[in-house]
Amino acid sequence: MTNYKVLFTGPVGAGKTTAIASLSDRPPVSTDTIATDGTKHRKPKTTVAMDYGVMRLSVEDQLHLYGTPGQERFDFMWEILQEGALGLAILIDNAAPAPIDDLTSFVEAYRPLIERTALAVGVTRTDLRAVPTLGEYVDHLARLGLHGPVFTVDARQRSDVARLVEALLFSLDPGLDVDGTRAEAGVR
């Protein structure tokens, strides 16, 4: 059996825990705890170590899904969780006060990983705020010297998160075997 690892990151409230839960084929492990700092104004619980789930790609291949805490005070976990990751999915909350700044912060924090592997960006909560647009995110990535797929993602929808992960995997290898048939079908 071959095991792969994808890392999800992004600011508090962007949907990392929810995305992993929607994609995992078994109940995910979560280290959410009651928020006691300023985060409590955004959501009642926050991830303090990591989220973890597993998704079956094929009979012989599994994708391990790791989610980082969004708060910088837990950034020591960011470095630990990068080890062995073959790509990074950044989730950005479009309804946050400065989502482009959030993207910049996470790109810079993970730039060494991105330069070694690949990046895909999922923009959540576009139903609450339509700007910035996906085109603005793509343009901003280009200004940062990066290219990668950018999608609108509802983290509660398995198909949305799967599309993001599939794009990330195909960025690494356009002929990647995700279900035994060399790129003919997508992540399930």
Side-chain angles (χ1 to χ4, degrees), residues 99-168:
I100 293 288
D101 292 343
D102 290 341
L103 177 60
T104 301
S105 294
F106 281 89
V107 161
E108 294 309 323
Y110 288 91
R111 190 172 283 274
L113 175 63
I114 294 166
E115 290 175 353
R116 283 192 320 270
T117 63
L119 165 71
V121 176
V123 182
T124 63
R125 301 180 65 180
T126 57
D127 57 323
L128 300 178
R129 187 166 151 211
V131 292
T133 65
L134 293 184
E136 289 174 273
Y137 286 104
V138 170
D139 292 345
H140 188 70
L141 281 177
R143 283 191 297 278
L144 296 173
L146 298 171
H147 301 282
V150 178
F151 293 98
T152 299
V153 171
D154 181 337
R156 300 166 296 186
Q157 298 299 316
R158 181 180 176 96
S159 60
D160 282 10
V161 182
R163 180 178 48 148
L164 180 69
V165 170
E166 182 176 69
L168 175 63

Side-chain angles (χ1 to χ4, degrees), residues 7-170:
L7 185 61
F8 286 79
T9 196
V12 171
K16 301 174 298 290
T17 300
T18 302
I20 289 172
S22 70
L23 201 54
S24 184
D25 290 329
R26 58 179 112 161
V29 174
S30 178
T31 61
D32 276 7
T33 189
I34 295 173
T36 58
D37 59 5
T39 303
K40 67 184 174 187
H41 301 293
R42 297 211 50 211
K43 59 185 216 165
K45 290 188 169 188
T46 191
T47 301
V48 296
M50 69 175 181
D51 295 306
Y52 172 73
V54 177
M55 182 180 152
R56 188 174 53 84
L57 295 175
S58 68
V59 173
E60 300 200 8
D61 298 321
Q62 291 187 110
L63 185 64
H64 296 265
L65 313 163
Y66 287 84
T68 69
Q71 298 177 57
E72 284 188 41
R73 68 185 173 128
F74 298 118
D75 65 355
F76 63 92
M77 288 301 298
W78 297 359
E79 189 171 328
I80 293 168
L81 292 171
Q82 289 181 53
E83 177 128 359
L86 54 84
L88 180 69
I90 298 178
L91 295 180
I92 297 295
D93 176 357
N94 213 50
I100 293 288
D101 292 343
D102 290 341
L103 177 60
T104 301
S105 294
F106 281 89
V107 161
E108 294 309 323
Y110 288 91
R111 190 172 283 274
L113 175 63
I114 294 166
E115 290 175 353
R116 283 192 320 270
T117 63
L119 165 71
V121 176
V123 182
T124 63
R125 301 180 65 180
T126 57
D127 57 323
L128 300 178
R129 187 166 151 211
V131 292
T133 65
L134 293 184
E136 289 174 273
Y137 286 104
V138 170
D139 292 345
H140 188 70
L141 281 177
R143 283 191 297 278
L144 296 173
L146 298 171
H147 301 282
V150 178
F151 293 98
T152 299
V153 171
D154 181 337
R156 300 166 296 186
Q157 298 299 316
R158 181 180 176 96
S159 60
D160 282 10
V161 182
R163 180 178 48 148
L164 180 69
V165 170
E166 182 176 69
L168 175 63
L169 296 176
F170 287 151

